[in-house]
C-alpha cells in the first residue's frame, strides 16, 4: 500500500477518538481495537510490523513515517502521540498535514 493511502486510511481509522490511544497501542497486534499513530498506519497497511514485512511494504511504511515526522518537525512520532497535551484534534490535523505533503510528493 502506498504511503498516501496508508495516511488517509489511518486518519479515517483514528477519526473516532475512541480508536486513538497514547503509547504503542495496536502496534503489531492484529486484534487491537485502539491505536497510536504508527499502530494505525501499520493496521491499515496490513504490515503489522516493520521487520517481518515485505521489502516494498517496509519501504512504504518508512516513507509514511517520514511524512509524519516531517510535519512533526522531525520529532519522534511517539513523543507527539504520547504527549499529555496532544489532543485528538491535533492528531487529526497532523494527519491532514502529512496527507497534503504526500499528495504534493505524489504529483
Amino acid at each position: 500500500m502506498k504511503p498516501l493511502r496508508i495516511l488517509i486510511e489511518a486518519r479515517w481509522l483514528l477519526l473516532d477518538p475512541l480508536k486513538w490511544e497514547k503509547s504503542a497501542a495496536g502496534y503489531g497486534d492484529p486484534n487491537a481495537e485502539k491505536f497510536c499513530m504508527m499502530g494505525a498506519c501499520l493496521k491499515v497497511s496490513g504490515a503489522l510490523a516493520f521487520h517481518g514485512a515485505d521489502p516494498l511494504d517496509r519501504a512504504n511504511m518508512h516513507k509514511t513515517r517520514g511524512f509524519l515526522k516531517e510535519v512533526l518537525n522531525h520529532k519522534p512520532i511517539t513523543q507527539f502521540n504520547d504527549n499529555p497535551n496532544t489532543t485528538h484534534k491535533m492528531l487529526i490535523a497532523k494527519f491532514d498535514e502529512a496527507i497534503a505533503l504526500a499528495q504534493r510528493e505524489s504529483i
Side-chain angles (χ1 to χ4, degrees):
M1 181 181 292
K2 301 258 183 192
L4 176 59
R5 185 167 168 211
I6 293 169
L7 290 165
I8 290 169
E9 290 191 21
R11 181 193 183 278
W12 181 254
L13 176 65
L14 293 175
L15 265 179
D16 179 352
L18 297 176
K19 295 282 187 186
W20 175 49
E21 188 166 82
K22 295 178 186 274
S23 81
Y27 215 84
D29 180 358
N31 300 314
E33 294 183 13
K34 293 184 175 191
F35 306 91
C36 63
M37 291 177 88
M38 283 308 300
C41 291
L42 287 166
K43 172 71 174 178
V44 301
S45 75
L48 291 181
F50 285 107
H51 305 296
D54 170 271
L56 180 59
D57 288 339
R58 253 192 329 269
N60 284 330
M61 283 306 301
H62 282 289
K63 188 70 174 164
T64 300
R65 183 168 52 184
F67 287 130
L68 287 169
K69 285 189 76 151
E70 190 164 335
V71 301
L72 295 171
N73 297 317
H74 301 283
K75 293 180 182 167
I77 296 166
T78 53
Q79 183 180 345
F80 173 78
N81 186 88
D82 299 352
N83 187 312
N85 296 319
T86 298
T87 65
H88 182 258
K89 184 177 180 176
M90 292 165 65
L91 176 99
I92 296 302
K94 289 300 178 184
F95 267 103
D96 289 340
E97 289 177 42
I99 289 166
L101 182 60
Q103 286 174 325
R104 285 192 302 272
E105 288 203 13
S106 294
I107 296 174

